[in-house]
Amino acid sequence: MKPLQELIRPNIRNLKPYSSARDEYKGAAASVFLDANENPYNPPNNRYPDPLQQELKARLAEVKNVSSEQIFLGNGSDEAIDILFRTFCEPGRDNVVAIDPTYGMYQVCADVNDIEYRKVPLDEAFQFSAGKIRAAADQRTKLVFLCSPNNPTGNELRRNEVEKLIQTFDGLVVFDEAYRDFSAAPTLLKRLNDYPNLVVLQTFSKAWGSAAIRLGAAFAAPEIIAVINKVKYPYNVSLPTQKAAMDMLSNRHKVEQWVKTLVEEREILMANFAQLPVTEKVFPSDANFFLARVTNAVEIYNYLVEQGIIIRNRHTLARCENCLRVTVGTQAENNRLIQALKNYKK
Ligand SMILES: *Cc1c(COP(=O)(O)O)cnc(C)c1O
């Protein structure tokens, strides 16, 4: 890995971050707050939230077996993705490399930040090779994006290839684990202390059932977290969100039960989907969705919309010709989908 200071954009390296009222105050016993121009009425929402979300990070650190200094929390993992661009990639000069197809936000954030986005196609098994990623990279490649289980393909990337890339690439490797909970493979968080260039993304939006609260996490070496904390908005995670996340962390058995149910339902839904006359192939899944090739993705997608059932048409993506992406719902929802497709007449 290059020295971190060399990877950081020069303006960010030299940035003096905004110092909020609550940053400056460090005393323990204060009870009169006349420092932040807040309204004294309407608790608790009258007060600015903790800019570094320390209570929530302490709890999450315990659950994830990392240290608080290894955690960035943001407005969804989407904020984490964007802040990595803004921290490391110089607009109009630097570039990033990503597997293709994958999660669309990497490219959107690259485009917004005017960063060249280099795609490396996955093979027929939706796997990648570390060598091909490195071949697409150059001295100005700051980030590589890997998503595993990958969206929209649903599969886990081969872990030895992932680690080979982390060990041999001299920029940062962003490893998106949005669907980790649904997979049998372990989290790469275990290797955080071994890899100074690894950034792991996780989210409360999927297994944790909390897409509405907008909370995502980036886990990385404390030096990386410290620099992205400089770039983030001071109060980027609201108090209601911090509270809702604390509640979810106290309800982990519920999350485990949802995951168990959804993985069981996934297997049933995929087996039923494979039997449909319209289905040509159901791709293996380690997530709470699966990709399937059908006879005509556009027509079937439109037919389902007419039936009030919305899935995702992925037909236009690389290697996804005539593919639909189906999220696993409740048993009743899954049955409605299957029934509708049984009734489909071309
Ligand atoms: C859904 C998803 C996310 C989650 O984004 P949030 O902003 O946290 O809701 C992140 N990465 C991938 C690959 C996803 O599919």
Side-chain angles (χ1 to χ4, degrees):
M1 180 191 175
K2 285 180 183 161
L4 189 64
Q5 295 305 315
E6 244 175 74
L7 289 172
I8 300 167
R9 292 170 63 194
N11 61 314
I12 302 301
R13 210 186 296 139
N14 300 325
L15 177 73
K16 187 177 175 308
Y18 175 76
S19 178
S20 70
R22 289 297 131 81
D23 280 333
E24 287 179 4
Y25 138 78
K26 289 283 187 315
S31 57
V32 178
F33 291 99
L34 305 176
D35 58 342
N37 300 345
E38 298 153 334
N39 189 322
Y41 308 113
N42 196 38
N45 283 350
N46 60 327
R47 298 294 177 192
Y48 281 105
D50 175 4
L52 290 173
Q53 311 98 22
Q54 295 177 78
E55 191 188 355
L56 175 53
K57 281 183 187 168
R59 188 78 191 87
L60 191 60
E62 258 172 35
V63 170
K64 298 291 179 181
N65 204 13
V66 299
S67 84
S68 282
E69 293 71 40
Q70 291 172 311
I71 307 176
F72 162 83
L73 294 176
N75 187 324
S77 354
D78 290 348
E79 183 184 0
I81 294 164
D82 186 61
I83 210 164
L84 289 165
F85 278 99
R86 291 192 293 132
T87 302
F88 294 101
C89 301
E90 193 61 28
R93 286 173 66 85
D94 290 338
N95 67 74
V96 303
V97 175
I99 54 172
D100 183 47
T102 192
Y103 184 46
M105 277 307 288
Y106 312 141
Q107 167 135 37
V108 170
C109 289
D111 291 347
V112 165
N113 289 288
D114 192 19
I115 304 302
E116 184 192 348
Y117 184 82
R118 299 182 177 180
K119 299 176 184 180
V120 177
L122 295 174
D123 67 20
E124 308 88 86
F126 297 136
Q127 292 295 338
F128 81 110
S129 101
K132 283 190 183 151
I133 296 277
R134 273 200 316 277
D138 61 19
Q139 279 309 304
R140 300 224 68 105
T141 305
K142 296 294 186 67
L143 311 172
V144 167
F145 286 92
L146 300 177
C147 181
S148 185
N150 187 32
N151 179 2
T153 58
N155 62 299
E156 201 70 73
L157 299 175
R158 270 195 302 268
R159 190 59 65 89
N160 55 352
E161 208 62 20
V162 172
E163 297 208 30
K164 199 198 290 179
L165 180 68
I166 297 169
Q167 288 159 6
T168 54
F169 176 58
D170 59 10
L172 303 187
V173 175
V174 183
F175 190 70
D176 192 336
E177 294 195 336
Y179 301 98
R180 171 58 49 231
D181 302 78
F182 303 104
S183 170
T187 171
L188 249 193
L189 284 178
K190 294 183 193 320
R191 309 303 307 274
L192 212 52
N193 293 325
D194 305 320
Y195 296 136
N197 61 336
L198 170 64
V199 180
V200 176
L201 302 182
Q202 293 189 357
T203 177
F204 277 70
S205 297
K206 308 288 159 60
W208 291 79
S210 303
I213 73 171
R214 307 307 303 132
L215 188 68
F219 301 88
E223 296 74 21
I224 294 176
I225 300 300
V227 64
I228 63 180
N229 276 340
K230 265 193 351 177
V231 177
K232 79 180 188 68
Y233 289 157
Y235 306 108
N236 62 326
V237 179
S238 76
L239 181 67
T241 293
Q242 294 187 41
K243 280 191 173 159
M246 287 296 282
D247 287 347
M248 289 312 299
L249 287 166
S250 310
N251 273 299
R252 286 164 61 211
H253 60 280
K254 216 156 68 177
V255 176
E256 281 162 25
Q257 190 53 55
W258 289 333
V259 167
K260 186 168 172 287
T261 302
L262 289 169
V263 168
E264 285 165 9
E265 287 298 325
R266 173 184 79 197
E267 298 309 311
I268 296 167
L269 178 58
M270 287 172 70
N272 288 336
F273 204 97
Q275 299 302 313
L276 294 168
V278 297
T279 302
E280 293 187 345
K281 185 176 170 77
V282 173
F283 294 96
S285 170
D286 300 297
N288 66 333
F289 63 86
F290 64 91
L291 193 71
R293 179 160 287 128
V294 293
T295 47
N296 188 323
V298 175
E299 280 179 16
I300 291 165
Y301 172 81
N302 289 333
Y303 162 80
L304 286 172
V305 171
E306 282 167 26
Q307 307 295 308
I309 300 170
I310 312 301
I311 58 170
R312 202 85 203 272
N313 178 9
R314 302 282 72 187
H315 173 63
T316 55
L317 300 192
R319 287 211 186 281
C320 293
E321 198 186 337
N322 276 318
C323 284
L324 299 170
R325 193 192 71 190
V326 180
T327 306
V328 180
T330 62
Q331 190 177 62
E333 291 170 326
N334 302 337
N335 288 341
R336 268 195 60 195
L337 172 71
I338 295 296
Q339 206 49 54
L341 287 172
K342 278 185 180 163
N343 295 336
Y344 173 77
K345 298 271 182 308
K346 195 177 136 29

